[in-house]
Amino acid sequence: MFLKISLLVIFFAVMIGIGVYCRRNSTDVNGFVLGGRSVGPWLTAFAYGTSYFSAVIFVGYAGQFGWKYGIAATWAGLGNAFIGSLLAWAVLGRRTRIMTQHLDSATMPDFFGKRFGNRSLKIAASVITFIFLIPYTASLYNGLSRLFGMAFSIDYSVCVIVMAVLTGIYVVTGGYMATAINDFIQGCVMLVGIVAVILAVLNSKGGFMAAYTGMAQITDPSVTDVPGMFASFFGPDPLNLLGVVILTSLGTWGLPQMVQKFYAIKSEKAVETGTVISTCFAIIVAGGCYFLGGFGRLFATNEEVAANGFDSIVPAMLSGLPDILIALVVILVLSASMSTLSSLVLTSSSTMTLDLIKETVNKDMDEKKQVTVMRALIVVFVAISVVIALIQYKSSVTFIAQLMGVSWGALAGAFLAPFLYGLYSKKTTAAACWVSFIFSTVVMLLNIFIRPSFPKLLQSPINCGAFCMIAGLIIVPVVSLFTKKPDKQLVDDAFASYEKKVLVAQREALSDD
């Protein structure tokens, strides 16, 4: 117990110390929200990865999807690495950094407003972000209760409040730069932790081949009567597995807290290096989480899962580990949760301040006051997330849990296509963005209230979210064909950012002479 508590104290002290150290870099809006657009590749890549993977994945998704699809759940992790990280950086990284700096945009809603010359679009995007991002923050505490109970016998409420307070302190104090540095440290913990846990868990079952053989012998009549399906290449339900891959991988392309990482990156070289680092990070962390979860049926029974839920699977796998590894796992999950929480509340506060309050309430707000308001809103949003998490834990308010489940799909479905086409196509119209916003938010909200009326495949919020994202990629160009064309001068000015001439060394580009 002394070892566990000591590691936690050191971990928290480092987080807060970095927040205080970075205070000097967060005196204006550009510094507080984007770190002065001078963040290097390692910090940006780790900030992207740690914002991507939270305790929801390690405890919730890994257990749930590993139980449903067996070892084939690893495909979700690989999709996160190659679609959610590699392709996201390759397709969005450079263009996002260039155009957002040219438009002087600090948030995703601000990008929509300036790129399409539509103030109402900016306000609508900020409202959607607020509605669906804040409840999502509460889900980050899921899984902490079981792990802390297993390691410290501490009440869930205490865990939630301590984590929220400490995260709030370093984000309020140091802004984006403190978040990025802490994300790097937390990411290192996650890398070491997931590798150590996988090796220890598999070793407890006699090694990989013995565990794999054990999975091949498991059957579940409620899922499939075919033996060996939980150890097969695509698992017992490849179609629904594909929905998981799409939602959790392609979804990052439209999430404000993810895309805004590209706003802050320092240089061209940083984009290239960051792409490699981010992909490798995702392969280890996401691939490792889902791979580990794929062996969950060796540690839990149908009766135990029915009684305790999917969140009990991963803690059951970890319960027999040595104390030092359990302490590492607790810090791993704390790291994953705190890094994502810090990213979410910073995104929410900056969006509310810059895109809603300054736009509609106080247009003359100076930079110093904007930073003050953002700091205050971070405290408010952290408090809201704590309240929602505690209400969900201590009552049976299913609406809250459902809203958390659809938030990812609603945000990504609404924003992915307008943002992607806004970076690449001069023909994309503001009306097409409106249709994408309305379609995804309405569909995902209806999925909460009238889910049984949906086609069977879309009754799952995961499949429904994936459907909204793919539909948006079709809706935006089609609607753009039949709606009022954007102002030519506005569009040409936005895309002029890509044509700006820069000087580089000949090792980067050959001269014409």
Side-chain angles (χ1 to χ4, degrees):
M1 184 61 70
F2 176 76
L3 175 64
K4 297 172 189 175
I5 294 175
S6 298
L7 287 175
L8 277 180
V9 170
I10 293 171
F11 176 74
F12 290 144
V14 170
M15 299 299 104
I16 294 174
I18 289 172
V20 174
Y21 173 77
C22 293
R23 184 176 177 83
R24 61 183 179 180
N25 298 316
S26 58
T27 54
D28 59 9
V29 171
N30 190 44
F32 190 80
V33 178
L34 300 175
R37 294 188 191 266
S38 61
V39 184
W42 283 88
L43 293 185
T44 302
F46 272 66
Y48 185 92
T50 54
S51 297
Y52 195 165
F53 310 119
S54 67
V56 176
I57 288 183
F58 183 76
V59 178
Y61 281 4
Q64 177 181 346
F65 300 138
W67 185 266
K68 289 183 176 180
Y69 310 117
I71 298 174
T74 307
W75 283 110
L78 295 178
N80 293 174
F82 294 108
I83 300 174
S85 296
L86 177 63
L87 272 182
W89 276 74
V91 175
L92 301 178
R94 289 186 71 256
R95 284 184 172 253
T96 298
R97 174 63 171 81
I98 292 169
M99 188 176 284
T100 56
Q101 183 178 25
H102 179 74
L103 297 176
D104 193 24
S105 166
T107 66
M108 183 179 274
D110 191 37
F111 170 83
F112 289 131
K114 291 178 177 176
R115 166 65 180 82
F116 297 102
N118 192 308
R119 177 172 172 267
S120 298
L121 200 64
K122 173 180 178 178
I123 295 173
S126 64
V127 171
I128 293 171
T129 300
F130 173 75
I131 291 174
F132 290 101
L133 208 57
I134 295 303
Y136 175 58
T137 61
S139 68
L140 302 177
Y141 303 101
N142 290 351
L144 286 176
S145 58
R146 298 183 189 275
L147 287 174
F148 267 81
M150 178 181 68
F152 299 102
S153 299
I154 298 176
D155 183 71
Y156 175 65
S157 303
V158 177
C159 304
V160 169
I161 293 170
V162 169
M163 172 183 148
V165 168
L166 291 169
T167 304
I169 289 173
Y170 77 72
V171 180
V172 167
T173 307
Y176 181 79
M177 187 59 77
T179 300
I181 296 174
N182 276 327
D183 285 350
F184 177 77
I185 296 171
Q186 291 161 352
C188 292
V189 173
M190 292 166 67
L191 287 173
V192 174
I194 193 64
V195 172
V197 168
I198 290 174
L199 293 176
V201 168
L202 292 183
N203 186 59
S204 71
K205 292 296 180 181
F208 170 71
M209 288 308 300
Y212 182 82
T213 302
M215 287 298 299
Q217 295 171 350
I218 292 175
T219 57
D220 185 346
S222 65
V223 179
T224 178
D225 292 324
V226 180
M229 289 303 292
F230 292 108
S232 63
F233 197 65
F234 290 118
D237 191 359
L239 188 59
N240 278 310
L241 177 59
L242 179 62
V244 173
V245 172
I246 293 173
L247 179 72
T248 61
S249 302
L250 193 60
T252 60
W253 295 37
L255 295 177
Q257 75 273 18
M258 301 299 297
V259 173
Q260 284 174 212
K261 297 294 186 289
F262 299 133
Y263 287 39
I265 199 163
K266 185 176 182 179
S267 64
E268 172 79 20
K269 184 65 176 175
V271 174
E272 296 173 2
T273 307
T275 303
V276 176
I277 298 169
S278 179
T279 304
C280 293
F281 183 89
I283 290 173
I284 297 171
V285 174
C289 284
Y290 287 111
F291 175 74
L292 177 67
F295 292 93
R297 288 179 178 268
L298 296 177
F299 296 85
T301 64
N302 283 327
E303 292 75 18
E304 291 170 341
V305 172
N308 302 316
F310 292 117
D311 285 356
S312 66
I313 297 173
V314 171
M317 300 174 75
L318 305 175
S319 59
L321 297 181
D323 283 348
I324 183 64
L325 278 181
I326 290 178
L328 182 60
V329 168
V330 170
I331 295 178
L332 185 161
V333 176
L334 266 177
S335 297
S337 298
M338 291 175 71
S339 57
T340 308
L341 177 63
S342 63
S343 177
L344 290 174
V345 295
L346 186 59
T347 299
S348 300
S349 66
S350 60
T351 296
M352 283 292 289
T353 303
L354 303 177
D355 304 322
L356 204 56
I357 297 175
K358 186 175 185 295
E359 189 69 28
T360 60
V361 179
N362 187 355
K363 295 183 179 181
D364 299 323
M365 190 187 305
D366 59 36
E367 287 220 358
K368 185 176 181 181
K369 191 170 183 180
Q370 290 173 44
V371 173
T372 301
V373 171
M374 278 188 276
R375 286 189 162 119
L377 285 176
I378 287 171
V379 175
V380 172
F381 291 154
V382 168
I384 291 173
S385 71
V386 169
V387 171
I388 294 174
L390 294 180
I391 290 175
Q392 184 195 6
Y393 177 69
K394 295 187 176 183
S395 66
S396 56
V397 183
T398 57
F399 173 79
I400 295 174
Q402 290 172 333
L403 189 56
M404 292 174 193
V406 301
S407 61
W408 186 300
L411 285 165
F415 296 152
L416 189 156
F419 188 80
L420 178 63
Y421 288 117
L423 292 176
Y424 278 88
S425 173
K426 293 184 177 182
K427 298 179 180 180
T428 306
T429 66
C433 295
W434 276 112
V435 174
S436 180
F437 286 7
I438 295 169
F439 175 82
S440 291
T441 52
V442 169
V443 168
M444 294 307 296
L445 287 173
L446 289 176
N447 189 262
I448 295 177
F449 298 109
I450 58 169
R451 185 168 296 163
S453 301
F454 276 61
K456 185 176 181 180
L457 184 64
L458 297 183
Q459 289 182 11
S460 161
I462 292 172
N463 289 344
C464 193
F467 165 75
C468 287
M469 284 185 278
I470 294 173
L473 293 172
I474 299 171
I475 287 171
V476 169
V478 170
V479 174
S480 295
L481 289 175
F482 301 101
T483 51
K484 182 182 177 181
K485 304 304 176 189
D487 180 75
K488 187 176 185 302
Q489 182 177 351
L490 178 76
V491 173
D492 288 343
D493 176 67
F495 279 80
S497 59
Y498 299 140
E499 307 302 326
K500 183 180 178 181
K501 304 299 181 183
V502 295
L503 295 175
V504 298
Q506 284 203 122
R507 66 174 176 272
E508 303 291 338
L510 294 173
S511 67
D512 294 330
D513 299 331

